[in-house]
Amino acid sequence: MFRPNRLKKMLQAGSQPIGCWIFFSDSDSIELLSMCGFDAFIIDHEHGAMEMGILVEQLRAAQATDVTCILRVPSHDPVYIKRALDMGVEGILVPTVESADEARAIVAATRYRPHGGHRGVGYPESRAANWGLAELEYPANYRENLLVAVIVETRRGFENVREIAAVDGIDMVILGAGDLMADIADDFAALTKLGTYNNSELDRLLAEAEAIVRSTPDCWLGGVSRHVAGGRELFAKGYDFVLPAADGWLLADAARSVVTAMRG
């Protein structure tokens, strides 16, 4: 569905939007969550079990509200990016970006000629352009209504974060603490502590990257927290967009809470 990108408008206004990860491969749960007040979803195709056909059903369910739907694609594959965009996702999130050249290639995969890209012209038939009903409006306005985000989550990526964030067309950098912790860990014992993130080198790299992205014009800073308190802390540190929830986390937390309460 072609419509204004509400998440981008909120970010431009400094509204601190909140998001929710979507890992479940169904449309009912995403429809329910879309009615709960989240500003954006990141639907996960990197680790989730979803397929493209399921994605369209999830988009239909979520886009009955004004929640913005971003797809975390599994890789930098321009063909996957093209198909996702043609199906009507309102943004993409690309994992494990480590250089400015990779970031530029990602932007090029989202853009048509002559806008500095090589995306195949499919809008006369695509859901993104309302199945061709917005055939003239879509190519004229798709760039301002598309959010392109990347995850920086390795030591090499953090070393190059300044150049990555400065690439024209990269709207947001999300800092991935979990994979960075795995990348810098020097032994198995350190890996077993993943989730606590109690590591001085990790803290240093995160702080430096946060400052760099926050100071980069036209690039927003995104982050993930497993809990609300951590999400509020990220906003207090200057993050623009925070994901403090996921469909699986919410279900697991609620279920364990009920079981614990009933067993006294």
Side-chain angles (χ1 to χ4, degrees):
M1 183 195 310
F2 183 52
R3 61 182 185 176
N5 191 312
R6 179 172 173 263
L7 175 60
K8 287 189 77 171
K9 290 184 179 298
M10 293 185 70
L11 289 163
Q12 289 162 354
S15 300
Q16 292 187 322
I18 59 172
C20 180
W21 288 104
I22 302 297
F23 295 110
F24 290 165
S25 55
D26 73 290
S27 56
D28 289 342
S29 59
I30 197 172
E31 182 178 43
L32 170 59
L33 288 169
S34 72
M35 301 176 188
C36 293
F38 289 105
D39 300 305
F41 294 144
I42 294 183
I43 302 171
D44 193 276
H45 275 207
E46 183 185 13
H47 299 297
M50 277 82 80
E51 299 174 350
M52 285 293 189
I54 295 171
L55 173 64
V56 172
E57 295 305 314
Q58 290 179 310
L59 293 175
R60 288 191 178 119
Q63 290 171 342
T65 70
D66 58 4
V67 65
T68 300
C69 291
I70 310 299
L71 184 73
R72 177 159 74 170
V73 294
S75 70
H76 300 201
D77 180 7
V79 175
Y80 205 102
I81 291 172
K82 173 180 63 177
R83 293 192 66 201
L85 295 179
D86 283 350
M87 289 186 182
V89 299
E90 294 162 298
I92 61 164
L93 174 63
V94 183
T96 322
V97 175
E98 297 185 306
S99 71
D101 284 343
E102 291 180 356
R104 280 189 283 268
I106 289 162
V107 173
T110 72
R111 293 187 174 181
Y112 299 112
R113 305 172 184 89
H115 300 151
H118 51 76
R119 180 180 168 192
V121 175
Y123 48 81
E125 304 83 29
S126 72
R127 182 178 182 273
N130 296 345
W131 305 109
L133 296 176
E135 182 178 357
L136 298 179
E137 184 183 5
Y138 182 80
N141 298 288
Y142 74 97
R143 285 177 295 169
E144 67 187 60
N145 288 304
L146 178 66
L147 187 140
V148 180
V150 298
I151 309 179
V152 174
E153 50 190 338
T154 64
R155 182 185 289 276
R156 180 169 178 251
F158 272 73
E159 290 171 350
N160 294 323
V161 69
R162 187 183 305 277
E163 292 76 18
I164 293 169
V167 168
D168 180 42
I170 295 298
D171 298 304
M172 180 184 294
V173 170
I174 291 180
L175 302 179
D179 276 289
L180 177 61
M181 180 67 175
D183 197 36
I184 67 176
D186 56 6
D187 57 32
F188 181 77
L191 286 175
T192 64
K193 297 178 182 177
L194 284 174
T196 60
Y197 305 145
N198 183 19
N199 183 287
S200 59
E201 176 69 357
L202 177 73
D203 293 341
R204 181 187 68 80
L205 291 169
L206 282 171
E208 290 178 357
E210 289 165 352
I212 288 169
V213 178
R214 287 200 308 267
S215 66
T216 303
D218 303 317
C219 187
W220 293 298
L221 176 62
V224 183
S225 173
R226 181 64 174 78
H227 300 288
V228 170
R232 289 176 174 169
E233 182 178 338
L234 292 179
F235 274 144
K237 291 171 66 175
Y239 279 68
D240 302 292
F241 175 59
V242 173
L243 295 111
D247 48 11
W249 305 346
L250 292 168
L251 181 60
D253 289 347
R256 286 183 297 201
S257 176
V258 169
V259 171
T260 298
M262 288 299 294
R263 288 180 174 164

